[in-house]
């Protein structure tokens, strides 16, 4: 007689859980609550971001403009950046070493998605970023603001409901990041594309994270405008002002777009490769070598000021506020001065990426604009078109984010966006593809193996 147990067929594997339906989630009551929380959190996050940017701007002006006159100098002495950049290195090293967390992202790694920022790390992020940005290091505020917005969003979730599910912290952390950079890049739309590309958001679940983020960004933009009206401190939004009009693109400009794309990919890759080589050296003796790195950045600024009729501020800082003047006064720059500016700021940028804490977007934009303007002196390329193509191509080569790279110059040169868009796209695509081809093999393999599932961009680790 046959044993029934022996002849029984094995039980089939249980059916996998069905994929969640985004439409059903959006119609749920809990998602409406998330939307409301995202809108509410946009208010304090945007206010914190606004006053952080204002404090950085005021300290920069006090140290590099007002203080030299106050202590008896007639303008800024040539050596003036050296002690301040050294001090920046010391303060950043102390913040990274002794405060919770690591002071934020590693800029030399480029923008990458990370989890929500733990609120306990906020003070270290703010301290390291403030010491970096206010004392002249060649990095921007966008990555610290993204992390600050995320940390404040997570903190709000913990205060509102301690046992909230992890997804709530992710969504509200992203919403906080959207609010923090709502107007920094010229438009909330650019910030949204930056965060989507950084996190690899896509597929049917993208809207679950994107919608609260967009709502928070809209609220944040209103807060920035409202605080500007109340305080008069400014909007701290990327803007180049009025620029000469350019006509329809020509065949020669399309050829220039290819040249600019190739050059930007090579320059951006070289900068980040140098930063990656320097970073482990700085990390071994951070307290000693980060001030040395700051001194080197200051030395490059001094060398530029000594070799040209332009000030050291062109090399120092992120380039966000100097970009408009560079484009508007392009005729006042010689090819030699622009070439020296690209070399000095590029090296200072690489050194800053290796040991400090900040974002990589604005220095890339400034270097790209300087390169495009320099090439316009050769002929057949309007300075504004060269600057726009250079901005897009450098961002694409440095950050590997082609959509953000196309949007930035289009909104930056808004009056000529339609005319410039075709050549900007060509420059961006060429730079992006070439940068991927010449990137180190290990990094390329890692990027290819990265999962495509949505991730929180809030705790970005850097570009």
């Amino acid at each position: 007689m046959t044993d029934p147990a022996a002849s029984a067929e094995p039980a089939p594997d249980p059916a996998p859980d069905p994929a969640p339906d985004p439409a059903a989630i959006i119609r749920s009551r809990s998602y409406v609550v998330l939307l409301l929380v995202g809108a509410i959190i946009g208010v304090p996050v945007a206010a914190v971001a606004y006053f952080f940017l204002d404090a950085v701007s005021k300290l920069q002006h006090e140290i590099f403009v007002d203080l030299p006159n106050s202590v008896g100098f007639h303008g800024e002495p040539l050596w003036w950046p050296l002690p301040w950049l050294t001090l920046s290195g010391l303060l950043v090293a102390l913040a990274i070493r002794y405060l919770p967390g690591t002071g934020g992202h590693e800029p030399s790694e480029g923008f990458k998605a990370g989890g929500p920022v733990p609120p306990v790390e906020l003070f270290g992020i703010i301290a390291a970023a403030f010491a970096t940005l206010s004392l002249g290091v060649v990095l921007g505020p966008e990555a610290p603001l993204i992390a600050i917005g995320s940390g404040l969003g997570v903190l709000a979730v913990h205060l509102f409901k301690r046992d909230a599910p992890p997804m709530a912290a992710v969504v509200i952390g992203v919403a906080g990041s959207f609010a923090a950079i709502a107007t920094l890049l010229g438009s909330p739309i650019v910030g949204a594309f930056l965060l989507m590309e950084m996190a690899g958001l896509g597929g049917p679940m993208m809207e679950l994270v994107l919608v609260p983020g967009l709502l928070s960004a809209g609220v944040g933009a209103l807060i920035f405008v409202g605080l500007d009206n109340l305080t008069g401190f400014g909007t701290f939004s990327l803007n180049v002002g009025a620029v000469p009009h350019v006509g329809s693109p020509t065949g020669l400009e399309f050829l220039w777009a290819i040249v600019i794309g190739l050059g930007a990919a090579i320059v951006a890759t070289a900068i980040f490769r140098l930063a990656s080589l320097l970073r482990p050296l700085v990390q071994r003796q951070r307290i000693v070598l980060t001030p040395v790195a700051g001194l080197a950045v200051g030395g490059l600024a001094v060398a530029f000021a000594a070799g040209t009729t332009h000030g050291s501020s062109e090399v120092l800082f992120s380039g966000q506020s100097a970009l408009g003047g560079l484009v508007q006064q392009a005729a006042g720059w010689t090819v030699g001065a622009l070439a020296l500016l690209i070399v000095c700021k590029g090296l200072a940028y690489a050194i800053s990426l290796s040991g400090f804490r900040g974002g990589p977007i604005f220095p890339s934009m400034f270097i790209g604009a300087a390169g495009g303007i320099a090439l316009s002196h050769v002929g057949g390329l309007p300075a504004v078109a060269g600057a726009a193509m250079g901005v897009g191509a450098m961002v694409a080569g440095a950050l590997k984010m082609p959509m953000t790279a196309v949007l930035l110059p289009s909104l930056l040169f808004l009056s000529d966006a339609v005319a410039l868009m075709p050549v900007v796209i060509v420059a961006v695509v060429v730079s992006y593809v070439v940068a991927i081809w010449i990137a180190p093999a290990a990094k390329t393999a890692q990027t290819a193996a990265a999962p495509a599932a949505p991730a929180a961009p809030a705790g970005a680790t850097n570009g």
Side-chain angles (χ1 to χ4, degrees), residues 63-398:
I63 290 174
F64 291 93
V65 178
D66 295 338
L67 188 58
N69 295 323
S70 300
V71 297
F73 294 107
H74 299 290
E76 179 186 313
L78 186 63
W79 53 265
W80 190 257
L82 299 177
W84 299 109
L85 270 296
T86 305
L87 176 62
S88 175
L90 178 61
L91 294 177
V92 170
L94 292 173
I96 294 172
R97 175 68 62 84
Y98 296 109
L99 294 179
T102 58
H105 67 281
E106 283 284 356
S108 63
E109 295 181 353
F111 271 127
K112 296 191 303 183
V117 173
V120 70
E121 296 182 9
L122 278 173
F123 184 70
I125 291 170
I126 293 172
F130 194 76
T132 292
L133 302 174
S134 61
L135 296 175
V137 177
V138 187
L139 290 172
E142 66 281 358
L145 287 181
I146 290 171
I148 291 169
S150 171
L152 291 176
V154 174
L155 178 62
V157 170
H158 290 170
L159 293 176
F160 180 74
K161 190 176 182 182
R162 288 187 175 275
D163 59 345
M167 188 60 184
V170 171
V171 173
I172 300 305
V174 172
S177 297
F178 271 67
I181 60 168
T183 63
L184 184 65
L185 299 174
S187 166
I189 296 298
V190 182
F193 271 94
L194 170 67
L195 291 170
M196 284 191 296
E197 286 194 289
M198 183 175 76
L201 288 174
M205 299 299 290
M206 177 182 71
E207 57 198 86
L208 298 180
V209 178
L210 179 60
V211 172
L214 287 174
L215 179 60
S216 186
V219 172
L222 292 174
I223 295 301
F224 266 69
V225 172
L227 287 174
D228 177 35
N229 291 333
L230 286 173
T231 64
F233 293 158
T235 59
F236 306 106
S237 179
L238 182 63
N239 182 26
V240 298
V243 295
H245 179 68
V246 296
S248 300
T250 64
L252 188 56
E253 288 177 27
F254 275 94
L255 294 177
W256 273 121
I258 296 173
V259 172
I260 290 173
L262 286 169
I266 294 170
V267 171
T269 301
I271 288 172
F272 275 82
R273 189 169 296 183
L274 176 58
S276 297
L277 292 174
L278 293 175
R279 189 185 72 196
L281 301 177
V282 174
Q283 287 176 336
R284 288 181 197 139
Q285 295 289 334
R286 189 179 294 278
I287 300 297
V288 174
L289 293 183
T290 311
V292 173
L295 183 63
V297 171
L300 287 164
V302 169
F304 172 78
T308 67
T309 58
H310 303 275
S312 61
S313 61
E314 302 291 347
V315 171
L316 300 178
F317 311 109
S318 69
Q320 177 188 1
S321 58
L323 183 58
L326 176 69
V327 176
Q328 292 173 355
Q329 301 166 18
W333 285 82
T334 65
V335 175
L338 287 167
L340 186 60
L341 175 62
I342 293 169
V343 171
C344 290
K345 196 171 186 81
L347 290 173
Y349 180 27
I351 296 170
S352 300
L353 287 167
S354 69
F356 290 85
R357 292 294 184 261
I361 294 180
F362 293 122
S364 296
M365 294 177 65
F366 187 89
I367 293 170
I373 292 171
L375 291 175
S376 72
H377 286 271
V378 177
L381 177 66
V384 172
M389 287 187 275
V391 166
M394 271 297 293
V395 171

